[in-house]
Amino acid sequence: MEFRTAIDVKPAEKSIDFNSGVALFGSCFSENIAKKIAYFQIPHFKNSHGILFNPIAIEEALSDCAKKRKYTEGDLICRDDILAKSWASFVLFRHKKRWQLLNKINRSIEEGNAFLKSNTHLILTLGTAWIYTHHKNTIVGNCHKIPQKEFDKTLLSVDEIIQSLTNIVLNMRALNPGMEIIFTLSPVRHLKDGFVENSLGKANLLAAIHSVCRALHTHYFPSYEIMMDDLRDYRFYNADMIHPNQIAIDYIWELFRETWIDPAVYPVMNEVDAIQKDP
């Protein structure tokens, strides 16, 4: 008798090997996959603007890289005369000196532009459809602990998400026509939005992703379904009962490997693993 519902995955046609370049943008779950790819020494680039959760923020980050946008002091937020930050970025970019922050942001954008022009795969992990708009009409990637009264919170519709994801795909293909684009939905629940609200956000994201996959021939990897329908047990979560623990991350990675990593490089990956574990 089988006591679990396993997710069936099929090998992709254009798989990843050591000659590939993998760019990863999006939520904290993209960081988990990036760590695995980095561990096995596969060329990669991750999150030029830090961890981002909503599709609009991810679209802006990729657009910045594609257009090699130059941030100036007018793009920064300064509070308490201590920190300079950017609405478009997560905590990756926080500095006491404005010029240091600008140099860091612009250098990361230039690196992202160079990588995206020649990479083979782009993995986009969406976390939530809820967005925060600053009263100056700026959709933010992070609120930077600024009081919530300064923001309007809204739920992106399926059509709005489809438009954002379509913009991403068209912009990336204009930059690099050969790029394979893989969407995944983060298994991390955004319970700070509320239980029902989290489900609404995930549902809108999921509907939009599959619409874009059908229309624009992109791909979907079911990390969310693996966590919710295959693992579906709190023993696979961290102590916060929200984030997948290492066992879950390793399991999802194995299914990702079966789907997207070329089996021909498995022996080399095993050698890399042995070297990494050698004290």
Side-chain angles (χ1 to χ4, degrees):
M1 183 178 291
E2 185 66 51
F3 288 99
R4 50 187 284 266
T5 50
I7 303 293
D8 183 33
V9 295
K10 298 178 181 179
E13 292 183 6
K14 297 182 179 180
S15 54
I16 296 168
D17 58 26
F18 288 102
N19 294 315
S20 302
V22 183
L24 305 100
F25 282 73
S27 79
C28 51
F29 188 74
S30 69
E31 294 279 313
N32 294 328
I33 298 299
K35 287 178 183 178
K36 290 291 187 180
I37 289 173
Y39 179 86
F40 288 106
Q41 303 295 301
I42 297 172
H44 70 286
F45 177 86
K46 65 173 184 176
N47 283 338
S48 63
H49 290 51
I51 297 169
L52 299 170
F53 301 101
N54 74 73
I56 303 296
I58 297 170
E59 177 190 352
E60 182 177 354
L62 286 164
S63 176
D64 284 353
C65 289
K67 297 176 181 178
K68 292 182 70 173
R69 176 182 172 185
K70 291 289 185 183
Y71 276 71
T72 64
E73 286 200 19
D75 297 309
L76 302 183
I77 317 155
C78 297
R79 291 292 174 107
D80 304 322
D81 295 324
I82 301 174
L83 286 175
K85 296 166 277 193
S86 164
W87 285 129
S89 64
F90 193 59
V91 293
L92 178 66
F93 298 124
R94 296 172 61 147
H95 244 295
K96 292 185 178 180
K97 296 184 182 295
R98 299 185 189 190
W99 67 268
Q100 290 177 327
L101 174 66
L102 288 171
N103 285 344
K104 191 172 185 179
I105 292 174
N106 290 328
R107 184 169 62 250
S108 183
I109 288 173
E110 289 179 3
E111 292 170 356
N113 175 271
F115 194 89
L116 288 168
K117 284 180 177 178
S118 60
N119 71 304
T120 57
H121 296 76
L122 171 63
I123 301 172
L124 302 173
T125 305
L126 306 182
T128 181
W130 289 94
I131 60 170
Y132 289 84
T133 305
H134 193 250
H135 292 167
K136 294 181 180 179
N137 295 319
T138 301
I139 296 175
V140 304
N142 187 272
C143 295
H144 296 297
K145 298 183 179 180
I146 291 170
Q148 191 165 343
K149 65 182 180 180
E150 296 191 25
F151 301 90
D152 295 317
K153 178 182 176 182
T154 54
L155 178 67
L156 290 172
S157 69
V158 174
D159 286 342
E160 288 172 323
I161 300 168
I162 289 173
Q163 185 60 62
S164 179
L165 300 186
T166 298
N167 292 343
I168 289 174
V169 174
L170 296 180
N171 287 338
M172 290 299 99
R173 286 180 174 166
L175 185 69
N176 179 354
M179 182 190 301
E180 291 291 321
I181 299 176
I182 306 162
F183 289 104
T184 188
L185 184 61
S186 172
V188 178
R189 293 170 298 159
H190 285 247
L191 297 186
K192 65 179 181 180
D193 295 323
F195 284 86
V196 174
E197 289 80 1
N198 171 72
S199 296
L200 281 170
K202 297 289 190 185
N204 284 8
L205 290 173
L206 194 58
I209 288 170
H210 283 284
S211 176
V212 171
C213 285
R214 288 191 300 269
L216 298 176
H217 307 292
T218 56
H219 309 278
Y220 179 71
F221 178 74
S223 56
Y224 180 77
E225 290 78 4
I226 293 167
M227 192 73 199
M228 297 297 146
D229 297 316
D230 186 349
L231 300 180
R232 61 181 306 172
D233 191 302
Y234 277 114
R235 63 190 164 131
F236 297 114
Y237 285 84
N238 281 333
D240 63 6
M241 298 299 165
I242 295 175
H243 291 81
N245 64 18
Q246 195 59 51
I247 294 173
I249 292 168
D250 291 343
Y251 181 78
I252 295 172
W253 163 255
E254 283 303 311
L255 292 181
F256 181 86
R257 188 181 74 146
E258 291 177 21
T259 305
W260 280 101
I261 305 295
D262 187 346
V265 304
Y266 288 1
V268 179
M269 291 176 69
N270 292 336
E271 291 180 20
V272 172
D273 185 40
I275 292 171
Q276 295 277 31
K277 291 178 178 176
D278 188 24

